[in-house]
Amino acid sequence: MSEEKFPMTVEGKKKIEEELKHLMSVERPSVVQAIEIARGHGDLSENADYSAAKERQSFIEGRIQDLNGKLSRALVIDPKTIKVDNVVFGATVLLSEEETEKEITYKIVGVDEADVKVGKVGITSPIARALIGKRVGDEVVVNAPRGEIRYEVLKIRYE
């Protein structure tokens, strides 16, 4: 059975690798040391420092496993290498909201990279799904909680 691959930008992969490196080289040794110190305080059954350190260790090990899994299933895509004129994963799209004429830019990224505050939307989000396949000049209709929002695609770039 083959594992399903998940798209991720080069930038997204780099961030995961940095977090993983930090967890393994800084956090993991620190928590191991905290456990050793707490063990020196005697009875482990009533030792709050020991319990807290073990809980932290469990979190760190789980996060390391999670990040390793994401990296192993990542399909890393460099948007700079994409040469198409329609919207696909990795596109940065300039839109104009038809009702207000307000311009907004979204970059379509992997699910773990999404951060709407900085204009990065996950590939599975409603706005990304509505944009896929569109070209400059196309109308995009997004079903949002406040109702349908209509946009016009003004520009598509891959950077």
Side-chain angles (χ1 to χ4, degrees):
M1 182 168 94
S2 66
E3 279 191 357
E4 185 179 352
K5 295 285 187 180
F6 296 97
M8 177 183 298
T9 64
V10 174
E11 181 185 335
K13 181 181 181 222
K14 184 179 175 193
K15 283 185 177 180
I16 288 177
E17 288 172 336
E18 287 170 0
E19 182 182 351
L20 187 58
K21 182 179 177 185
H22 177 76
L23 287 170
M24 293 176 78
S25 64
V26 177
E27 296 293 330
R28 184 187 263 169
S30 169
V31 79
V32 167
Q33 185 178 15
I35 289 169
E36 287 303 314
I37 291 169
R39 276 192 180 143
H41 295 148
D43 185 7
L44 298 181
S45 65
E46 294 181 17
N47 188 329
D49 290 339
Y50 179 78
S51 296
K54 288 298 281 184
E55 190 173 312
R56 177 86 180 128
Q57 181 184 39
S58 177
F59 171 79
I60 290 168
E61 294 303 323
R63 185 68 181 149
I64 288 171
Q65 241 183 354
D66 183 46
L67 294 176
N68 276 323
K70 287 177 182 180
L71 288 173
S72 73
R73 293 185 313 274
L75 175 60
V76 181
I77 298 170
D78 185 352
K80 294 175 192 152
T81 64
I82 298 171
K83 305 286 186 234
V84 295
D85 61 355
N86 60 313
V87 178
V88 297
F89 179 87
T92 300
V93 186
L94 176 63
L95 302 168
S96 173
E97 188 175 340
E98 289 185 357
E99 190 175 302
T100 64
E101 294 187 15
K102 179 181 164 194
E103 291 186 359
I104 189 162
T105 302
Y106 289 119
K107 181 172 184 172
I108 301 175
V109 297
V111 173
D112 294 316
E113 303 171 72
D115 184 352
V116 175
K117 292 181 208 120
V118 295
K120 293 181 178 182
V121 293
I123 186 72
T124 60
S125 69
I127 183 78
R129 287 195 316 257
L131 286 170
I132 295 296
K134 299 296 187 204
R135 298 179 188 282
V136 172
D138 284 354
E139 181 183 64
V140 179
V141 179
V142 179
N143 292 315
R146 66 178 193 201
E148 281 188 351
I149 304 172
R150 296 181 181 278
Y151 297 99
E152 180 184 351
V153 178
L154 300 178
K155 188 175 183 182
I156 303 167
R157 61 187 193 278
Y158 293 93
E159 50 192 27

